[in-house]
Amino acid sequence: MHCDQLITAYGAVADDAIINTSAIQAAIDECARTGGRVVVPPGTYLTGSLQLKSGVELHLAHGEVLKGSPRILDYTDLGAPFRVPIAITYAWKSLIWALDAKDIALTGTGTVDGNGTAPDFHVSGRATWEQVENRPCVLYFIRCTDVLIADVTLRDSAFWMQHHTDCRRMRFHRVKVFNFQSHNNDGLDLDNCADVVISDCHIECSDDALCLKSMTPGINERITVTNCVLRSHYNAFKLGTETAGGLRDFTMSNCVLCGPVDVPHPMEHNGRTRGFAGIALMSIDGAVLENIAISNLSIHHMTTAFFIRLQQRGTRYWPEAPAVAPPGRIRGISTSNVGAPDLTAVASSITGLPGHPVEDVNISDVVLELPGGGTREDAERPVPEKRGDYPDCTMFGGNLPASVIYLRHVDGIALRNWRVRIAAPGDYRPAFASEDATQVEVSDCSCRNPHPAPAVESAPWRIAPC
């Protein structure tokens, strides 16, 4: 017989002074015997780490807040079952966690609040990756199968909002995420997960909104994202930065990718009010990216629309991994129907490494509006390789030598039906420039530029001399 239990029947009390971990865990453990639903009724319930177990649905009633304890001692250390050597001080704690569980769910219209501003989770200075051990996630599922997260609101984590590793058959539906309380406030991180559907979700955060990582042997695959709003001070959608395995068989459609508009980054002194890239696809640590289809996107208030980067950072994630992984591969990327009306003068870019090109990329039906302002000096500026630097769309420093998109170390790139408008006072860079590029096709593209580079006045879309 399936159980359906209120946590109040096990002694949970809606009181900010009472930690309800034992009572709520007792309800979960009881329902795990036969399978069933644990209900959190309206009110605010303080708790430490909870382990979600096979066959259990944790249901959050409307008006309910499940709030994380402000004491780090109330969070379970998850390092024993899963630890990779990326950082000794990695965040191996979470408010709700599951390990090797099947048929689990987090549902309802209530809220899970990570209490991320509690003093025990405080971050000082800018060395944020040295201060993560005592900053728990809100959700962390490891090697779980048949997972549903639906209708809930997740807010205010001390670290990433949720991290899911080596999970299979996951569904995220109508999930709302608001995560602005600390550094490294990602919205949703998948780490080598498969058969995942993310639909009708709204994610707002100060770090990457939707981020696919690869820190364990394996690969992210068969992932679909549709009808979502992704808002970020960094990247709206990013593969990386940790990418040892990679991503394949991925689709994204009908999404809005946007920056924070006029909301300053809460943790940066410069008060930055733009996101980085709308789409950021990276192979940094030997990953393979292939068979990726992205369509019907609206990109707003980001620095640039596309950032595709193959490089070799050399991070080692598990003991059996090569000491220095060879460069990975990026190939088979298709993007279509993209509108971006308010980008910056930092051009989009697709860049590989010498001898290791980005291959077979098709970007079509694109409408961009750019502010202009690129100088003749920008058009002639040499671009450093930066083989092992931290990757983001500003990594090359200053403006790239193209106003719209810059290609280097690529093979088989097709740009079709681009419509670009550059505002006055115009831009003296060519719209398109490339180095070490083979099999590049540019067709039916136009760029309205009040001041195109003199060498390309009659044909602003061109391959610059290699």
Side-chain angles (χ1 to χ4, degrees):
M1 180 178 180
H2 290 270
C3 74
D4 194 350
Q5 296 287 352
L6 288 169
I7 62 170
T8 49
Y10 292 80
V13 178
D15 187 324
D16 282 344
I18 297 176
I19 304 296
N20 292 286
T21 311
S22 298
I24 301 173
Q25 190 63 57
I28 293 172
D29 293 347
E30 179 62 28
C31 269
R33 298 176 186 275
T34 58
R37 188 170 74 158
V38 173
V39 178
V40 184
T44 298
Y45 298 85
L46 210 60
T47 180
S49 287
L50 300 171
Q51 182 182 7
L52 195 56
K53 297 185 176 181
S54 294
V56 175
E57 172 189 350
L58 183 59
H59 183 80
L60 312 180
H62 187 72
E64 170 281 341
V65 178
L66 194 63
K67 190 171 185 178
S69 167
R71 306 183 314 206
I72 192 61
L73 293 177
D74 291 326
Y75 293 82
T76 303
D77 187 340
L78 307 180
F82 173 73
R83 186 182 293 275
V84 296
I86 177 176
I88 299 302
T89 57
Y90 186 73
W92 299 114
K93 300 178 177 68
S94 185
L95 179 58
I96 301 173
W97 64 280
L99 173 66
D100 294 323
K102 298 180 179 179
D103 298 310
I104 58 175
L106 177 65
T107 65
T109 56
T111 297
V112 183
D113 184 337
N115 204 3
T117 58
D120 273 16
F121 314 143
H122 178 67
V123 177
S124 60
R126 296 184 62 82
T128 59
W129 275 105
E130 297 175 8
Q131 304 173 62
V132 299
E133 186 175 15
N134 290 331
R135 294 164 58 200
C137 299
V138 167
L139 304 181
Y140 191 8
F141 296 164
I142 306 163
R143 298 194 302 269
C144 295
T145 305
D146 294 316
V147 177
L148 173 65
I149 301 175
D151 298 310
V152 296
T153 296
L154 309 175
R155 63 170 61 249
D156 300 347
S157 177
F159 188 56
W160 298 344
M161 178 59 70
Q162 46 188 326
H163 184 189
H164 305 296
T165 298
D166 292 333
C167 294
R168 300 292 181 268
R169 296 197 295 274
M170 304 189 79
R171 175 79 188 273
F172 301 83
H173 185 57
R174 294 197 301 257
V175 178
K176 294 179 285 294
V177 175
F178 303 95
N179 202 21
F180 292 95
Q181 299 305 311
S182 188
H183 292 277
N184 314 108
N185 270 171
D186 287 13
L188 169 57
D189 291 82
L190 300 178
D191 183 356
N192 288 347
C193 294
D195 302 310
V196 180
V197 176
I198 302 168
S199 60
D200 301 283
C201 293
H202 186 112
I203 301 176
E204 299 189 15
C205 52
S206 59
D207 211 327
D208 303 318
L210 173 58
C211 190
L212 277 62
K213 298 181 178 291
S214 188
M215 296 188 290
T216 58
I219 195 167
N220 293 287
E221 58 186 344
R222 300 185 299 279
I223 296 173
T224 294
V225 181
T226 189
N227 300 338
C228 293
V229 175
L230 306 176
R231 177 172 174 257
S232 171
H233 280 84
Y234 279 83
N235 300 285
F237 166 62
K238 183 174 87 169
L239 176 68
T241 302
E242 298 82 10
T243 50
L247 171 66
R248 67 187 173 211
D249 301 332
F250 172 90
T251 67
M252 172 184 280
S253 62
N254 305 333
C255 292
V256 176
L257 312 179
C258 53
V261 190
D262 295 323
V263 180
H265 191 292
M267 297 295 158
E268 291 191 357
H269 298 300
N270 62 9
R272 182 168 53 82
T273 60
R274 263 190 193 272
F276 278 4
I279 298 170
L281 301 176
M282 313 174 193
S283 172
I284 306 303
D285 307 306
V288 173
L289 280 66
E290 59 187 3
N291 197 20
I292 296 173
I294 300 173
S295 63
N296 301 339
L297 301 184
S298 180
I299 298 176
H300 293 275
H301 212 67
M302 305 300 289
T303 299
T304 195
F306 308 106
F307 176 70
I308 301 176
R309 175 64 172 159
L310 172 63
Q311 66 181 67
Q312 186 180 28
R313 188 174 58 169
T315 302
R316 190 179 186 209
Y317 294 96
W318 58 88
E320 297 79 15
V324 178
R329 295 190 70 178
I330 299 179
R331 61 186 179 184
I333 312 297
S334 176
T335 300
S336 63
N337 296 324
V338 176
D342 57 352
L343 302 172
T344 72
V346 177
S348 292
S349 61
I350 304 175
T351 57
L353 293 172
H356 299 277
V358 176
E359 304 172 89
D360 302 327
V361 177
N362 184 343
I363 305 178
S364 63
D365 303 310
V366 176
V367 178
L368 306 179
E369 293 186 19
L370 304 173
T375 65
R376 299 176 193 272
E377 290 76 17
D378 291 333
E380 298 173 356
R381 184 177 73 87
V383 180
E385 289 285 352
K386 297 207 170 182
R387 188 184 191 101
D389 285 31
Y390 187 90
D392 67 52
C393 66
T394 65
M395 68 181 296
F396 299 113
N399 286 332
L400 292 166
S403 60
V404 179
I405 188 166
Y406 171 74
L407 310 179
R408 182 170 64 184
H409 310 313
V410 299
D411 179 19
I413 307 297
L415 308 176
R416 301 186 179 102
N417 191 25
W418 287 49
R419 298 291 179 264
V420 181
R421 182 189 296 270
I422 295 179
D427 200 303
Y428 285 92
R429 299 170 293 173
F432 167 91
S434 67
E435 303 175 55
D436 185 24
T438 57
Q439 299 188 72
V440 175
E441 174 194 345
V442 179
S443 61
D444 193 22
C445 294
S446 66
C447 179
R448 298 184 63 180
N449 184 355
H451 294 289
V456 292
E457 287 180 357
S458 62
W461 288 83
R462 58 119 180 183
I463 298 178
C466 296

